[in-house]
Amino acid sequence: MKIVLLVLSGDPDRAREWLQQKYPGTGIEDISRGQLESSGPLGRIRALHSLRPDIFAVATERLAWQSGQNDLLLFGTLAGARRVVLFDASGNSREETSAGILARTPFRFASESTLSALAIARSYSGLKKLERAVKSRANIGRGMSPTVRGGSCQHSISRECESPRIAYLRSTPGVGTQAGGAATHINGFINAATELGAAIRVISNDYIAGIDRSKLTLIVPEPLGSTRAAVDLRNNLNFSAGALREIEHSQVNLIYQRYARFSWAGVAASLRTGVPLFLEYNGSEVWMGKHWDRGDMLPLLARFERLNLEAAARIFVVADVERRNLLQAGIADEKIIVNPNGVDTEKFRPHVGGDAVRRDLGVAEDETLAGFVGTFGPWHGVLALAQAITLLPDDSKVRFLLVGAGKLREEVQRIVGAAGKEQQVIFPGHVEHERVPALLDACDILLSPHVPLEDGSEFFGSPTKLFEYMAMGKGIVASRLGQIGEVLVDEETALLTEPGNARQLADAILRLSRSRELRERLGAAARDAAIAEHTWKHNALHVLDAYQAWAKISF
């Protein structure tokens, strides 16, 4: 029996382990997402059929949010698989025989089409009402007391204003949001704000790594819809209704929402209750839909995005470039607050288990270990890093620990393997965030080789790993790009290289590998800067200070 595995998202190694446990002794062959996306429907069927699968297995990070499941079931059946299984990293699965799939497909597609049409119609109608309500509120507010920016985070919470009771909305999870940078951001803000006196109730339609489930209201999603947009629209309606019920019964005085595609939950709740909406805006979903994930219904998504931006009392962005983007889009300057990501400097610090990790990995004492943690995606610079590895002298005694998963991982492995450097590189795959501090501590050098965005847009990222690297007190090699080049100072807290320049990257790694004194000097300065300026407490204080300033004006 033969399994053909398609990994849509998540860690390929964990996917194979799950299949090996479920179907012991069965051979597994991979088919990449890139192979399928490069051809039309018939070409995709032929590509899978040529591999002669008995079982077609599809791995995704969260099955509850995977759109097009019925399409995947039918695709596997038409390509000749006798059985199709869809599964995720949490062990949830859906398995059917080809006969069952063919029998149920007409009814499923009819049902999905009906549900999608209803969700789209209700969304257009509801959006018009909310747009009118936001515009009406703006007109009423003209001539009243002007709004102001949030105060600085140089002081503790003022006694003049009550610490807020916050409804924290995370409305549309996607790839990497159960763990990884998004979960780190959520945990960091919530933990710091709670320590500063805020009372926070999380309302989410998925669990979040690190968040106590007893403190989270879960609104269960339904992966029903013919497209991802249809799934998001349907679940926005359900989530918004559930969040409003929770907020009305919780007596909150601040709604804080991570902006998400096709979501109006915070807007609707703010309009209904009169509670201000603070929006955490980590980037334009319209831009991402155009350039990264082939999103559909982009004109409608643009209206959702504009609705959130206009309804928010304050908008928090992670980098100044995003502030400039919003200003160009006509958003009022006084609403926008730059609030970079941060780090827990007690969790991320030197001497947290690195020696044991080095022993487990088989790294010799005379070897230098250079580490990367992140997504193997387009703007993380992993291809430039792979090229840099191939440029290092064979006797450099530098090994690499590349932690993470993503669609470019196979290409990185191919580049390294073709140069005969595979023995120098360790690929542990995706790891739980709790393990990351020890992995970083095992390294002598930490790498942030980000590259410019492919469409030429200004780099808008604020990588959480940048601040985690700084807190570890290690030598850092990073790209002189966007906020990375603003936070780090060349020759003071890191060595900065031109983005995408593999030669410069290799030279900087080699230089640090040969000077322990330089690594220690740069690392100590970077950690001092992280403690002084870039903790999650700084991040949370910006939000709480902004709430105080808003409350003083409004009451």
Side-chain angles (χ1 to χ4, degrees):
M1 189 166 67
K2 179 180 178 182
I3 299 174
V4 175
L5 170 63
L6 169 64
V7 179
L8 293 180
S9 59
D11 184 8
D13 293 335
R14 290 181 64 180
R16 293 187 195 96
E17 289 174 8
W18 187 89
L19 289 171
Q20 287 166 355
Q21 291 177 0
K22 185 173 178 61
Y23 307 102
T26 303
I28 301 173
E29 184 171 348
D30 295 330
I31 185 168
S32 73
R33 186 171 181 173
Q35 284 177 266
L36 298 178
E37 289 179 343
S38 63
S39 58
L42 289 178
R44 295 171 188 173
I45 292 173
R46 292 192 189 103
L48 180 56
H49 185 270
S50 68
L51 300 178
R52 300 188 179 281
D54 295 295
I55 298 175
F56 177 50
V58 181
T60 182
E61 186 177 303
R62 288 293 279 147
L63 196 58
W65 271 97
Q66 181 59 54
S67 61
Q69 292 188 25
N70 293 328
D71 295 305
L72 290 167
L73 292 171
L74 182 60
F75 169 59
T77 297
L78 294 178
R82 291 185 287 123
R83 186 175 295 271
V84 181
V85 56
L86 315 179
F87 65 100
D88 66 17
S90 300
N92 303 302
S93 63
R94 179 180 177 185
E95 183 173 358
E96 296 185 21
T97 64
S98 57
I101 292 168
L102 290 174
R104 299 183 186 99
T105 290
F107 304 100
R108 286 171 171 168
F109 281 1
S111 176
E112 275 200 342
S113 296
T114 300
L115 290 173
S116 295
L118 288 172
I120 293 169
R122 289 182 61 194
S123 296
Y124 272 105
S125 175
L127 184 61
K128 289 180 181 178
K129 293 178 181 178
L130 290 174
E131 287 171 335
R132 288 196 297 267
V134 169
K135 184 177 181 179
S136 176
R137 185 171 67 174
N139 289 334
I140 292 172
R142 289 172 183 164
M144 298 175 66
S145 299
T147 56
V148 300
R149 287 177 179 261
S152 71
C153 59
Q154 300 297 318
H155 55 81
S156 60
I157 296 177
S158 169
R159 294 181 181 178
E160 297 179 25
C161 298
E162 179 182 333
S163 297
R165 297 181 300 278
I166 302 173
Y168 187 107
L169 306 185
R170 201 288 296 270
S171 59
T172 307
V175 174
T177 57
Q178 284 66 47
T184 299
H185 192 154
I186 294 169
N187 278 272
F189 169 77
I190 289 175
N191 292 338
T194 301
E195 290 178 9
L196 291 167
I200 300 179
R201 184 69 187 179
V202 181
I203 306 173
S204 173
N205 43 23
D206 203 355
Y207 292 116
I208 305 166
I211 298 295
D212 186 344
R213 295 189 177 189
S214 67
K215 298 179 180 179
L216 183 149
T217 297
L218 180 66
I219 301 174
V220 180
E222 297 177 348
L224 297 176
S226 53
T227 64
R228 179 182 172 185
V231 172
D232 287 344
L233 289 170
R234 176 177 169 79
N235 280 288
N236 169 58
L237 297 170
N238 294 339
F239 183 85
S240 296
L244 179 59
R245 288 192 298 270
E246 182 71 17
I247 290 170
E248 287 182 322
H249 288 88
S250 299
Q251 297 183 328
V252 302
N253 45 28
L254 175 61
I255 299 168
Y256 185 94
Q257 178 168 3
R258 282 180 64 90
Y259 166 65
R261 61 191 303 134
F262 292 115
S263 175
W264 67 41
V267 176
S270 177
L271 288 169
R272 177 74 68 86
T273 63
V275 175
L277 169 64
F278 281 14
L279 191 70
E280 180 190 301
Y281 182 80
N282 293 301
S284 170
E285 288 288 346
V286 176
W287 184 92
M288 294 179 191
K290 289 178 180 178
H291 300 287
W292 279 4
D293 57 11
R294 300 185 181 183
D296 51 335
M297 301 189 71
L298 294 183
L300 180 61
L301 179 58
R303 288 177 60 184
F304 269 82
E305 188 158 295
R306 189 74 192 184
L307 174 74
N308 278 269
L309 294 172
E310 292 185 348
R314 297 291 181 273
I315 303 167
F316 297 86
V317 296
V318 294
D320 195 61
V321 59
E322 205 59 70
R323 173 180 170 273
R324 294 195 294 272
N325 289 339
L326 291 180
L327 290 175
Q328 290 176 1
I331 302 301
D333 186 18
E334 61 267 19
K335 290 176 60 170
I336 308 168
I337 299 172
V338 178
N339 196 20
N341 287 322
V343 62
D344 181 341
T345 55
E346 288 301 309
K347 184 175 182 179
F348 287 85
R349 58 182 175 82
H351 312 302
V352 287
D355 290 342
V357 171
R358 287 177 73 97
R359 288 194 296 271
D360 292 342
L361 295 175
V363 180
E365 290 187 10
D366 65 344
E367 289 182 315
T368 301
L369 187 62
F372 164 90
V373 175
T375 302
F376 284 63
W379 61 283
H380 290 259
V382 290
L383 297 183
L385 176 56
Q387 292 292 345
I389 293 172
T390 69
L391 295 175
L392 289 177
D394 292 337
D395 61 353
S396 64
K397 291 190 176 182
V398 180
R399 294 185 69 186
F400 292 85
L401 177 66
L402 308 186
V403 182
K407 65 180 183 180
L408 294 180
R409 176 174 156 179
E410 291 181 2
E411 180 64 10
V412 170
Q413 291 176 305
R414 187 197 65 77
I415 293 171
V416 171
K421 302 276 189 176
E422 61 269 19
Q423 297 303 314
Q424 289 180 241
V425 186
I426 304 166
F427 292 94
H430 173 81
V431 302
E432 299 298 327
H433 196 252
E434 293 302 314
R435 292 179 55 200
V436 171
L439 290 170
L440 296 181
D441 189 39
C443 299
D444 305 289
I445 302 169
L446 298 174
L447 307 171
S448 181
H450 291 76
V451 294
L453 302 173
E454 292 180 351
D455 74 321
S457 299
E458 192 174 0
F459 185 87
F460 56 81
S462 176
T464 54
K465 72 178 178 187
L466 169 65
F467 304 105
E468 292 171 353
Y469 284 4
M470 293 173 69
M472 295 306 302
K474 306 288 182 175
I476 299 172
V477 178
S479 296
R480 188 182 285 104
L481 183 66
Q483 190 182 82
I484 300 169
E486 296 168 358
V487 170
L488 296 173
V489 180
D490 190 33
E491 300 287 348
E492 292 184 18
T493 54
L495 297 184
L496 298 182
T497 64
E498 289 307 306
N501 190 319
R503 180 74 267 172
Q504 283 192 17
L505 182 57
D507 289 346
I509 293 170
L510 193 60
R511 181 184 170 196
L512 277 183
S513 73
R514 292 172 173 172
S515 176
R516 180 171 182 173
E517 183 278 330
L518 179 59
R519 296 197 303 267
E520 290 179 348
R521 176 174 66 80
L522 295 176
R527 178 165 170 81
D528 288 344
I531 293 171
E533 303 174 33
H534 301 297
T535 68
W536 285 118
K537 183 176 179 180
H538 289 90
N539 180 281
L541 273 171
H542 275 118
V543 176
L544 299 182
D545 285 351
Y547 171 74
Q548 290 179 18
W550 180 90
K552 288 176 182 177
I553 291 173
S554 302
F555 298 105

